[in-house]
Amino acid sequence: QVQLVESGGGLVQVGGSLRLSCTASGSISKIIGWGWYRQAPGQQREMVAVDVSGGATNYGDFAQGRFHISRDNAKNMAYLEMNNLKPGDTGVYYCNAVLVERGQRTPSTSWGQGTQVTVSS
């Protein structure tokens, strides 16, 4: 079984920065890609940033130039650096990983429980 745990959320003022971390643990053979998503109250979950196999990254329009996704393959971790935060960035941030579990041949997707980010004005 695989677990993803996010950390690093919290309360920050407008213009501030936060760095979210996501740690994957369990029976993992290979992590193909990582993603960060967010969900504001009453809103649908939306893609913030993804890091796919081969190192390609993709960002939501709102994240371009302000957020940066990175990964540490040795530690099975991913990060989301968020700068110049705005009140509209408030929400629960989730990480996911597309991975192959030990003994399996096909990839699966795991999600973390989320971490709250609140940007105050």
Side-chain angles (χ1 to χ4, degrees):
Q1 192 159 357
V2 175
Q3 279 192 323
L4 268 61
V5 177
E6 302 96 337
S7 62
L11 176 64
V12 64
Q13 291 189 330
V14 169
S17 299
L18 281 175
R19 187 192 194 211
L20 306 183
S21 300
C22 181
T23 303
S25 62
S27 183
I28 300 169
S29 175
K30 177 184 178 181
I31 298 178
I32 299 169
W34 292 91
W36 287 96
Y37 294 76
R38 72 182 188 185
Q39 188 166 19
Q43 303 293 320
Q44 289 189 330
R45 191 173 296 190
E46 60 181 346
M47 188 269 287
V48 178
V50 293
D51 180 334
V52 300
S53 176
T57 57
N58 192 25
Y59 294 88
D61 289 344
F62 61 87
Q64 290 281 357
R66 297 192 298 132
F67 294 4
H68 178 69
I69 186 172
S70 60
R71 62 195 292 176
D72 185 330
N73 292 328
K75 295 181 179 179
N76 283 345
M77 292 186 70
Y79 308 94
L80 182 68
E81 191 81 34
M82 305 187 293
N83 300 303
N84 190 22
L85 285 162
K86 306 174 182 180
D89 294 319
T90 294
V92 179
Y93 283 69
Y94 300 89
C95 75
N96 83 351
V98 178
L99 52 88
V100 179
E101 294 187 47
R102 290 196 194 104
Q104 302 296 318
R105 294 187 177 185
T106 57
S108 58
T109 300
S110 292
W111 287 87
Q113 294 299 307
T115 184
Q116 176 70 42
V117 171
T118 303
V119 184
S120 68
S121 55

